[in-house]
Amino acid sequence: MSQAEGVQDAKVYLPSEATVAAAAVSGMAAYEKLCAQAEADYEGFWAGHARELLTWKTPFTKVLNEENAPFFKWFEDGTLNASYNCLDRNVERGLGDKTAIIFEADGGEVTKVTYSELLAKTCQIANGLRSLGVGKGDRVIIYIAMSVDGVAAMQACARIGATHSVVFGGFSAQSLRDRIEDTGAKAVITADCQVRGGKKLPLKAIVDEALTLGGCDSVQKVLVVNRADAAVTMAEGRDVWMADVVASQPTTCEPEWVDAEHPLFLLYTSGSTGKPKGVQHSTGGYLLHAALTCKWTFDLKADDVFWCTADIGWVTGHTYITYGPLALGGTEIVFEGVPTYPDAGRFWKMIQDHKVSVFYTAPTAIRSLIKAAEANDAVHPKSYDLSSLRILGSVGEPINPAAWEWYHLHVGGGRCPIVDTFWQTETGGHMITPLPGATPLVPGSCTLPFPGIQFAVVDETGTELPWGKGGILVCKKPWPSMIRTIWGDPERFKKSYYPEDFKGQLYLAGDGAIRDAKTGYFTITGRIDDVLNVSGHRMGTMEIESALVSCTELVAEAAVVGRPDETTGEAVCAFVVLKRPAPTGEEAKAIAKILRDHVGKEIGPIAKPKDIRFGDNLPKTRSGKIMRRLLRSLAKGESITQDTSTLENPAILGQLGQTY
Ligand code: PRX
């Protein structure tokens, strides 16, 4: 029985005949054929696509090098340039006048940028960076909001072989400092401010603060884009306006041809222990998967208007804004604002105005827009013409079937397949996902691995489990766009992703999963480590605990757990022991606010705990271990059925019941 035929019990959505006929991967037989090709000749499969989709300066002769596993190398003797592949090559193909980016600002102003213009802008920034002494192998931090400048800055770094590390504009000065120090960045690219929901929020001032926190001596230059004439202080000799840097620069710039393994970017993400880790991605393998997934998962065609709503500060924005769609010569939207400004119809209006055909967003956004639409017809998708849509996508967290059905019916008009794409910062691109013109869809399941990707569900010993049994999600083979290492910490890379428990042979995703007993469809059951996913943002519980405990005048001890949340997927719940008796009432509220602001300052507003509970102690075993399972139950508001007899201090459970 083929996998498609087996989907019979769950509610199944089949792609329409027209969708199948037009799709790059047309029908399940085509999908299965691709999988079989990869199975039969793994290296040949990837090499073929790498030759077809990318333009190489020096063609590669080696495909996969496993000698120093798990530090795998792909296409190692080939050379190329990512920016050449995304820009020049499209201009050379006659797409110079095609719109590359439709930029819509927070206030609604629209700017269209052609491939020729984006190339010219990128070249000027690249030349500007070179004139300031930035070149191949240097690291550049980019701390800027969604903008054409942001995309061009990333492309410019790629052009000169500098490794970029984008820091999401919602991170604090402290988080920015940590990333500057860890990367040893030579330059920082930022803007005076960002504009979100009608408000100007500072960026340059946060860079200034970060640079005073110590450890940032590597930074020689700060380039500042003028977004909205916000007041900034410019340090003489260090800070320069981007406009001044690029003004006299030529609009052409010879790309730096780099080895396929050259680090294109570092992107920091949270793990279960320690500080965020700098995930290092390659140039060749990464770009291949970015392009191939755009071609197959999004079925991106010449006349599509693609919109990925993620921020360029996250991996989704890297792969599905800066690199993938441009590598294929697509037209895409870059949106500066927020989905609820000026009202919660913003996404639907933009889809209507720009005739968006492929739309990719996060379940959290959908869930919050459902709420708004149910309360007000004016912001309901039915009040807009969304007939241009043909494919919908979801990313970053599990999409619950109810939200899936609503998205399918009200946004997709019942006719657009939803690709629920499972992947991670470390994987570079989609790993488990439906293909729109092939895969029968089951709401809540990310279905089957992308062709060539070999995921499995195993037990603690690494033995593959039969379908129907939940376990640990692993990838059995290296793939081109995989994480290469953790910047500066190869041991942590090995330990985190290729643990000894699995003899260093399996890539550990950090998620649990179960495959449907009949179809083999994957459903992700959530993280198996101490990583939380709040609104699709990944955070380590330990990071938030450290941030709380760093409020030394108030906090003695803190434990953080996640709890399910209707809108944000998960919410941060902090249990805090103060250096004084547990407060109640107004005093507790006031202290909770101080602690939230403190976490906002240490990490960023996204990490602020939603719930804070105070106790004179935390529930611990007699050996002093915090009973996190118990805390999770308390956070969920469940009645405690677990055995609390081993608890050192059962009385504090009552105290921890009140949320502030
Ligand atoms: O837990 C999984 C969840 O998000 C984690 C990866 O987070 P991050 O590296 O920030 O990348 C997010 C964007 C790719 C995964 O380990 N996750 C991501 N996509 C899905 C998902 N969980 C369920 N379904 C998904 N489609």
Side-chain angles (χ1 to χ4, degrees):
M1 182 169 62
S2 86
Q3 285 166 320
E5 285 161 7
V7 187
Q8 42 196 222
D9 297 340
K11 193 164 176 191
V12 177
Y13 294 80
L14 297 168
S16 71
E17 273 174 36
T19 306
V20 176
V25 180
S26 175
M28 269 316 259
Y31 166 78
E32 280 161 6
K33 191 169 161 198
L34 289 170
C35 296
Q37 280 171 0
E39 187 83 36
D41 177 10
Y42 194 64
E43 292 191 20
F45 172 85
W46 290 113
H49 294 296
R51 288 191 187 104
E52 187 199 321
L53 283 177
L54 302 183
T55 302
W56 298 81
K57 179 73 172 173
T58 324
F60 57 88
T61 61
K62 295 183 196 157
V63 181
L64 170 62
N65 178 344
E66 300 185 85
E67 273 163 33
N68 191 25
F71 300 94
F72 301 102
K73 291 180 178 169
W74 284 88
F75 319 119
E76 62 182 303
D77 61 345
T79 66
L80 77 169
N81 181 281
S83 147
Y84 173 84
N85 271 273
C86 294
L87 304 174
D88 309 54
R89 156 170 103 131
N90 291 316
V91 174
E92 288 163 16
R93 282 172 183 167
L95 300 180
D97 293 333
K98 181 175 178 176
T99 301
I101 293 178
I102 302 170
F103 174 71
E104 184 163 318
D106 184 68
E109 309 81 16
V110 173
T111 319
K112 293 189 177 176
V113 183
T114 65
Y115 271 94
S116 296
E117 289 164 347
L118 188 59
L119 171 61
K121 190 178 186 64
T122 297
C123 286
Q124 285 191 306
I125 301 174
N127 288 326
L129 284 168
R130 274 187 179 154
S131 76
L132 297 174
V134 180
K136 186 177 173 190
D138 290 330
R139 273 84 55 211
V140 176
I141 290 274
I142 301 178
Y143 187 63
I144 202 167
M146 292 292 286
S147 54
V148 176
D149 291 289
V151 175
M154 293 165 81
Q155 288 282 348
C157 289
R159 193 163 193 91
I160 61 172
T163 300
H164 60 69
S165 185
V166 184
V167 178
F168 175 59
F171 278 119
S172 67
Q174 184 64 43
S175 295
L176 179 59
R177 187 218 77 91
D178 292 348
R179 287 152 174 79
I180 292 172
E181 184 182 43
D182 198 62
T183 55
K186 198 170 198 178
V188 177
I189 299 177
T190 188
D192 55 338
C193 67
Q194 52 182 327
V195 186
R196 284 170 76 81
K199 291 194 203 89
K200 285 187 195 178
L201 307 168
L203 285 173
K204 171 65 166 63
I206 295 175
V207 173
D208 293 343
E209 192 190 337
L211 295 179
T212 61
L213 293 174
C216 300
D217 295 345
S218 60
V219 175
Q220 294 174 9
K221 291 286 169 196
V222 178
L223 292 88
V224 189
V225 171
N226 183 4
R227 164 64 185 92
D229 292 324
V232 293
T233 327
M234 299 291 276
E236 222 188 300
R238 187 195 71 190
D239 301 350
V240 280
W241 287 104
M242 181 67 95
D244 294 339
V245 174
V246 302
S248 56
Q249 296 298 341
T251 53
T252 57
C253 168
E254 177 62 16
E256 181 83 41
W257 303 104
V258 296
D259 294 344
E261 282 296 318
H262 183 72
L264 179 61
F265 67 88
L266 307 175
L267 189 59
Y268 284 78
T269 194
S270 298
S272 42
T273 56
K275 286 212 177 266
K277 42 198 179 187
V279 172
Q280 179 179 322
H281 277 289
S282 71
T283 301
Y286 169 80
L287 198 61
L288 164 62
H289 204 59
L292 190 62
T293 48
C294 280
K295 184 175 166 188
W296 288 349
T297 313
F298 295 129
D299 194 33
L300 211 63
K301 302 232 185 327
D303 53 357
D304 271 318
V305 177
F306 176 71
W307 183 13
C308 164
T309 68
D311 193 285
I312 51 168
W314 307 113
V315 74
T316 309
H318 282 59
T319 308
Y320 299 109
I321 295 177
T322 302
Y323 292 110
L326 297 179
L328 291 190
T331 295
E332 64 177 342
I333 309 275
V334 173
F335 174 47
E336 179 185 45
V338 295
T340 48
Y341 178 84
D343 60 42
R346 183 69 182 264
F347 276 4
W348 322 136
K349 182 169 187 314
M350 282 182 62
I351 292 171
Q352 170 181 279
D353 289 353
H354 302 300
K355 300 197 168 24
V356 172
S357 52
V358 183
F359 180 63
Y360 191 36
T361 196
T364 289
I366 298 163
R367 286 190 294 262
S368 70
L369 296 177
I370 293 175
K371 267 196 193 162
E374 282 175 350
N376 176 7
D377 264 0
V379 297
H380 194 285
K382 70 183 172 198
S383 304
Y384 300 83
D385 175 5
L386 305 184
S387 58
S388 57
L389 286 171
R390 63 181 198 95
I391 293 170
L392 301 175
S394 171
V395 60
E397 44 178 328
I399 178 161
N400 48 307
W404 194 106
E405 303 270 1
W406 189 92
Y407 192 29
H408 188 255
L409 180 65
H410 296 291
V411 182
R415 61 175 200 284
C416 306
I418 298 178
V419 289
D420 175 2
T421 60
F422 167 83
W423 59 295
Q424 309 175 293
T425 305
E426 295 87 342
T427 69
H430 304 153
M431 290 284 108
I432 308 180
T433 177
L435 301 186
T439 320
L441 305 172
V442 175
S445 166
C446 50
T447 73
L448 296 167
F450 191 82
I453 301 295
Q454 309 212 346
F455 263 106
V457 178
V458 300
D459 66 13
E460 303 77 54
T461 66
T463 309
E464 203 158 337
L465 289 167
W467 294 0
K469 275 201 96 159
I472 301 164
L473 184 67
V474 295
C475 194
K476 296 195 283 186
K477 281 195 174 207
W479 66 100
S481 66
M482 65 189 300
I483 173 176
R484 293 307 195 261
T485 187
I486 291 174
W487 181 254
D489 202 346
E491 273 312 306
R492 190 172 174 199
F493 163 74
K494 274 213 279 204
K495 262 206 214 133
S496 309
Y497 302 107
Y498 283 90
E500 274 309 312
D501 301 357
F502 300 156
K503 302 179 188 68
Q505 299 291 310
L506 299 172
Y507 167 83
L508 179 71
D511 283 285
I514 184 164
R515 301 191 69 168
D516 181 81
K518 286 204 182 95
T519 61
Y521 273 23
F522 285 80
T523 293
I524 307 297
T525 50
R527 297 286 306 189
I528 53 170
D529 52 12
D530 291 322
V531 169
L532 304 183
N533 191 330
V534 181
S535 303
H537 299 154
R538 185 166 150 184
M539 277 172 280
T541 52
M542 258 194 51
E543 275 172 74
I544 307 174
E545 286 166 9
S546 307
L548 284 164
V549 175
S550 75
C551 188
T552 46
E553 65 278 21
L554 281 173
V555 179
E557 198 177 9
V560 167
V561 298
R563 67 154 173 82
D565 182 273
E566 234 181 55
T567 307
T568 58
E570 261 186 310
V572 177
C573 184
F575 293 85
V576 179
V577 180
L578 296 180
K579 289 183 172 168
R580 60 169 107 159
T584 54
E586 289 308 312
E587 193 198 2
K589 274 191 207 157
I591 296 178
K593 180 173 182 320
I594 295 173
L595 296 182
R596 281 192 185 99
D597 290 346
H598 184 80
V599 173
K601 218 169 162 326
E602 286 292 307
I603 304 176
I606 49 170
K608 287 185 181 181
K610 187 158 185 181
D611 302 346
I612 296 187
R613 299 185 183 199
F614 296 102
D616 288 326
N617 208 335
L618 295 173
K620 289 184 188 148
T621 60
R622 294 216 168 89
S623 60
K625 237 178 115 168
I626 296 174
M627 294 181 74
R628 286 177 182 274
R629 228 160 24 99
L630 202 63
L631 291 180
R632 275 186 217 114
S633 300
L634 281 173
K636 277 191 219 163
E638 289 172 354
S639 50
I640 305 296
T641 51
Q642 296 151 41
D643 178 14
T644 52
S645 59
T646 54
L647 214 59
E648 165 80 26
N649 44 2
I652 54 108
L653 288 185
Q655 227 181 3
L656 290 167
Q658 183 66 38
T659 299
Y660 295 97

